[in-house]
Amino acid sequence: MKFQDLTIQDMRQKLLAGDLSSVELTRACLERIKATDSTLNAFITVCEDESLAAAEQADQQIAAGNMGLLTGIPVAVKDIFNTLDVRTTCGSKILDNYVSPYDATAIAKLREQGAIIVGKLNMDEFAMGSSNENSAAGAVHNPWDTERVPGGSSGGSAAAVAAGQVVATLGTDTGGSVRQPASHCGVVGLKPTYGRVSRYGVVAFASSLDQVGPVAGNVEDCALMLNVVAGYDPADSTSVDCPVPDYLKNLNAGVTGKKIGLPKEYFIDGLDPEIKQAVDAAIETYRQLGAEIVEVSLPHTDYSVACYYLIAMAEASSNLARYDGVRFGKRQDPGEGLIGMYQQTRSAGFGDEVKRRIMLGTYALSSGYYDAYYLKAQKVRTLIRQDFLKVFEEVDLLLTPVAPTPAFKIGEMVDDPLQMYLSDIFTIPTNLAGTCAMSFPCGFSERGLPIGLQLIGQPFAEDEMLQAAYAFEQATDWNQRVPEV
Ligand code: GLN
C-alpha cells in the first residue's frame, strides 16, 4: 500500500502493530511532499529535521505503550497557526521573518496527542480569499487539474490532503475557507461552531467569524481531528465551556428519522447545472437512507455576502493595525518619521487584496459611516442568525451546495473581486450565524472536478452532522477517487 492511500486509522493500526515506524511514515510523507510540491506549491515551510526528530520520539512512546490519538502520524497546518520556533508567515510578506515564541492552542493539542507537524501550508494572505491566489508564496495548484485553483483561503490545507502529501491538516474558516477548498479538492472539511475550538495563537482575520477546522480524506479522520482540537480554552475568551462529545463514538448512528432541510434560497438560478445534479442525487441518497427531506426558508440569505464583507473587512482593518513594523511586521527602511516608517512597512508588506480590505474596513468603521455600514451589518447579522435558529426548531440539519461552481482556472477571477466575493454565498451565512457546517465529496463534474456537499448543523451539534456525513460516505464511493499527481 502506498503512503498516500493510508487513512489516519490505517496508520494508527500499522504503528500499533509494529508494521511501520513513525520514522518510516514521516520519511514517506516528506518524500511524497518532495515529489509533488513543485507542482502543487501547497507548502510554505517543510520541517524536515524537526519532524524526523519528533518521529523518533514518537516511536519510543509507541514502544512504551503511550499511544495518543495521533502519535507518530505526520500532519500539517495552515501557516496561520503560531508554531514555536517555526516561522508563521500567514501567506504575507509582512510576516516573512516572523517566528512565534509559543504554540497556538490547536497546535499544542496536536502535539499533546503525539502528531508530527511536518510543515506549514500555503494560504491566501491573512486568509483573505477564495482561490489561494492572494499568497506571497504564490498560487496553489489544484491536484485534480493543476491549471485550476484549489479554493481558499486554506488552499494548501485541502490540496495537501487531496494529493496525499499528508493525511490530515488544520485550516481556518471565516467565511468558507475550510469548506470551499475541501469541496474544490474532493476532501472533507469541517467548520466547527464558533467557540468550539480555541483561536488562541491563530493569526486573527475577523475575530467574530474565525474558526479553526480540520481537513481530512474521510469523515472518520475528520472526526478524529476534531476530537483532538475541540474544547474550552481559558486563553480564548470566545471559546465555550461546554462538554465535547467523542466524535468517533456514534459515527454510524445513521440518519433514519432525521429531518433534513433544504433552504430554498440556496437552490438558485446561478447554480452550475452539474453541481445541482450532484446535490440532487445526494438528496435522493439521504432519502433512501431514511431521512425526511423538507423545504425550508432562510429569508435573509441574500444579505449575507454584503453583511459578511462589511463585518469581515471592518474587523480585519482593526486586527491588521498591529503590523506597523514596530512590534509586528517586517520593518522597511524608515521613511519620513514614524508615520513614514508605518507607510513604507505597510505599503511594501501587504498585498493588494489585504490593502483593499483594510481601506474598505476602515471606511466602514469611520465616524459618520459606522452606523450606516458596520452597525447595520451587525443588525442584519442578528437576523441571519435568527433565521438559522428558527429553522433548527423544525429540522435537524440543513443540506446545501458548497460553492456555485467547481474549481475555476487560476487567473480567471483575479480582476473581478466582486465575483470572487459572490462565490462565497453558500458558506458565509453559517459563519455569520456561528453554527457548524462541513463539506464532503458528492460527485464530479464532467471535467473530473470534485463537487462538495454541505451539511449545516445546529450550534454545538457537530456529532450529529458528522454522523449524517458518515452515513452518506458509507453509502457512496465519491471519496474513493484520488487525483494523479
Ligand atoms: N473567501 C472569504 C474571504 O475572502 C472567506 C475567507 C475565509 O474563510 N478565511 O473572506
Side-chain angles (χ1 to χ4, degrees):
M1 209 177 207
K2 286 184 284 189
F3 165 77
Q4 62 266 34
D5 297 333
L6 300 174
T7 65
I8 295 183
Q9 299 293 10
D10 296 335
M11 290 180 183
R12 277 177 59 82
Q13 273 163 18
K14 286 185 189 294
L15 288 168
L16 276 168
D19 294 343
L20 202 61
S21 71
S22 173
V23 169
E24 286 168 325
L25 202 53
T26 306
R27 280 225 172 88
C29 171
L30 291 166
E31 267 160 35
R32 177 78 187 152
I33 296 170
K34 252 184 216 146
T36 51
D37 214 48
S38 53
T39 311
L40 299 176
N41 198 30
F43 278 81
I44 292 181
T45 305
V46 178
C47 311
E48 191 163 340
D49 297 342
E50 296 91 330
S51 49
L52 286 170
E56 268 175 40
Q57 275 186 358
D59 281 329
Q60 286 166 13
Q61 277 172 358
I62 296 166
N66 293 331
M67 185 84 181
L69 282 172
L70 291 170
T71 303
I73 294 174
V75 301
V77 300
K78 187 175 182 177
D79 206 16
I80 198 168
F81 292 92
N82 280 339
T83 41
L84 180 70
D85 295 341
V86 173
R87 77 186 179 132
T88 299
T89 73
C90 219
S92 183
K93 262 204 300 207
I94 210 160
L95 287 177
D96 184 41
N97 56 4
Y98 179 67
V99 179
S100 159
Y102 69 102
D103 273 334
T105 299
I107 301 299
K109 284 180 175 257
L110 285 177
R111 294 200 211 272
E112 268 165 35
Q113 292 300 326
I116 313 289
I117 299 173
V118 294
K120 309 286 298 282
L121 296 156
N122 205 340
M123 57 181 285
D124 282 300
E125 184 176 7
F126 287 103
M128 297 175 189
S130 310
S131 67
N132 214 125
E133 292 166 291
N134 305 331
S135 167
V140 175
H141 299 259
N142 189 315
W144 293 91
D145 176 348
T146 52
E147 285 181 12
R148 287 175 189 266
V149 303
S153 67
S154 313
S157 302
V161 173
Q165 293 182 318
V166 278
V167 73
T169 61
L170 288 184
T172 57
D173 190 313
T174 304
S177 277
V178 162
R179 290 160 287 156
Q180 184 254 22
S183 174
H184 286 346
C185 291
V187 293
V188 181
L190 188 148
K191 182 201 94 72
T193 308
Y194 186 76
R196 182 50 105 190
V197 181
S198 169
R199 295 182 298 109
Y200 181 67
V202 181
V203 179
F205 161 14
S207 307
S208 76
L209 299 155
D210 297 341
Q211 190 53 201
V212 170
V215 180
N218 61 62
V219 175
E220 190 178 13
D221 285 357
C222 187
L224 186 149
M225 288 290 284
L226 188 59
N227 270 353
V228 174
V229 293
Y232 172 64
D233 176 11
D236 173 4
S237 61
T238 64
S239 86
V240 174
D241 193 0
C242 69
V244 181
D246 177 352
Y247 296 108
L248 286 168
K249 204 164 158 215
N250 293 316
L251 213 46
N252 55 8
V255 289
T256 313
K258 295 272 176 200
K259 230 173 171 184
I260 300 183
L262 309 176
K264 64 172 194 252
E265 293 80 4
Y266 285 60
F267 293 84
I268 45 171
D269 286 346
L271 193 60
D272 181 285
E274 290 188 297
I275 301 227
K276 178 154 190 334
Q277 210 181 355
V279 173
D280 283 346
I283 294 168
E284 200 38 51
T285 304
Y286 272 112
R287 239 187 225 117
Q288 281 164 16
L289 288 168
E292 185 191 341
I293 310 286
V294 293
E295 190 186 271
V296 295
S297 173
L298 297 165
H300 297 93
T301 301
D302 270 1
Y303 303 104
S304 22
V305 173
C307 176
Y308 167 86
Y309 275 98
L310 273 166
I311 293 172
M313 290 186 192
E315 292 183 11
S317 72
S318 162
N319 272 327
L320 270 59
R322 73 192 68 172
Y323 306 103
D324 58 5
V326 180
R327 185 172 174 124
F328 291 109
K330 188 174 176 181
R331 185 182 302 186
Q332 297 299 322
D333 288 339
E336 290 287 303
L338 183 64
I339 301 292
M341 190 279 284
Y342 289 165
Q343 277 170 350
Q344 301 270 21
T345 295
R346 290 167 69 85
S347 302
F350 291 133
D352 288 348
E353 180 61 25
V354 173
K355 285 179 188 158
R356 174 167 26 241
R357 293 190 188 207
I358 290 173
M359 286 189 280
L360 288 168
T362 306
Y363 182 78
L365 286 177
S366 58
S367 111
Y369 292 104
Y370 180 95
D371 288 0
Y373 294 118
Y374 184 69
L375 193 64
K376 197 185 242 172
Q378 289 291 18
K379 289 179 178 167
V380 173
R381 178 179 190 173
T382 302
L383 296 173
I384 292 169
R385 178 168 164 83
Q386 283 167 351
D387 280 357
F388 277 94
L389 297 181
K390 189 150 169 257
V391 126
F392 279 134
E393 287 171 8
E394 202 188 314
V395 299
D396 301 298
L397 292 156
L398 296 166
L399 182 158
T400 79
V402 182
T405 65
F408 43 91
K409 286 221 163 117
I410 293 176
E412 195 176 314
M413 282 223 249
V414 274
D415 296 326
D416 194 350
L418 190 58
Q419 200 53 40
M420 192 86 93
Y421 298 165
L422 287 171
S423 69
D424 295 331
I425 171 88
F426 303 138
T427 50
I428 273 174
T430 48
N431 297 80
L432 291 167
T435 173
C436 61
M438 67 186 288
S439 165
F440 48 99
C442 74
F444 284 84
S445 73
E446 216 166 280
R447 284 182 177 281
L449 299 170
I451 296 172
L453 185 70
Q454 177 168 245
L455 282 181
I456 303 172
Q458 308 195 25
F460 298 102
E462 286 83 0
D463 44 355
E464 194 177 23
M465 179 174 75
L466 282 159
Q467 288 157 9
Y470 187 74
F472 182 84
E473 192 180 77
Q474 294 300 302
T476 57
D477 58 4
W478 300 115
N479 89 323
Q480 302 296 321
R481 285 203 213 175
V482 284
E484 280 296 321
V485 189

